[in-house]
Amino acid sequence: DLDEIIEREAGVEIKDIFLAKGEAHFREIESETIRRLVGGVYGTGVIAATGGGAVIRQSNRDALKGWGIVVCLRASVDEILIRAGSGDERPLLDTGDMDGRRKKIEGLLKERDEVYRDCDFTVETTGIGVADVVEKIRSFLDNAV
């Protein structure tokens, strides 16, 4: 999980990076972490989970696609609201109320739709469990190899 790596290496939570230095600084750290990931610093034969904003930058998408197969996990706005909860761990969703969070999620999904399509495979995860998601990905990989 790239976010966990970033927090561990920075010694602070992502929300604190956003608060102290802003999103642009966080995205730089994120891009550097992706460069190290594809360079093998975190091992080989690994599965990496990125946050939804990691693929905004074309250079990140190119690096990830050159490194392996990129799978986009999609979910409905309602599902994302449930998964994100009401805490302050997600700085981009720190809008004060659930209506604001909903509007922010809708905006981010619309804004990022094109880059989310630039992947090798997409799994709609709304209403299905982790085992089913894994099976869909495994089936895709079995047929792609």
Side-chain angles (χ1 to χ4, degrees):
D1 185 295
L2 256 60
D3 287 350
E4 288 180 13
I5 290 171
I6 291 168
E7 287 182 339
R8 185 176 62 246
E9 292 179 351
V12 297
E13 294 181 1
I14 288 171
K15 67 179 181 177
D16 296 324
I17 297 170
F18 267 75
L19 285 171
K21 299 198 175 181
E23 182 180 2
H25 180 75
F26 170 75
R27 296 295 175 205
E28 286 299 321
I29 295 170
E30 185 176 57
S31 292
E32 177 57 32
T33 305
I34 289 171
R35 284 191 289 278
R36 290 197 319 273
L37 170 73
V38 303
V41 170
Y42 304 110
T44 58
V46 299
I47 297 171
T50 69
V55 294
I56 293 170
R57 290 185 177 183
Q58 182 70 49
S59 60
N60 291 347
R61 291 196 311 278
D62 291 344
L64 291 167
K65 289 183 85 168
W67 178 66
I69 295 173
V70 176
V71 177
C72 177
L73 303 179
R74 286 192 172 256
S76 69
V77 173
D78 288 334
E79 185 78 16
I80 293 169
L81 276 168
I82 291 166
R83 292 178 188 175
S86 59
D88 65 352
E89 302 85 35
R90 299 183 181 267
L92 291 179
L93 300 183
D94 192 11
T95 61
D97 64 6
M98 288 307 275
D99 188 50
R101 288 171 86 86
R102 173 180 291 285
K103 287 181 178 156
K104 184 65 176 184
I105 290 167
E106 289 169 346
L108 288 171
L109 289 175
K110 184 177 181 183
E111 173 185 307
R112 296 174 178 178
D113 184 61
E114 186 176 329
V115 298
Y116 285 174
R117 292 177 188 271
D118 186 21
C119 64
D120 298 303
F121 183 61
T122 299
V123 178
E124 175 55 55
T125 66
T126 302
I128 66 172
V130 173
D132 291 329
V133 173
V134 170
E135 184 53 38
K136 287 176 183 275
I137 295 169
R138 182 173 285 147
S139 177
F140 171 80
L141 294 175
D142 287 345
N143 292 317
V145 175

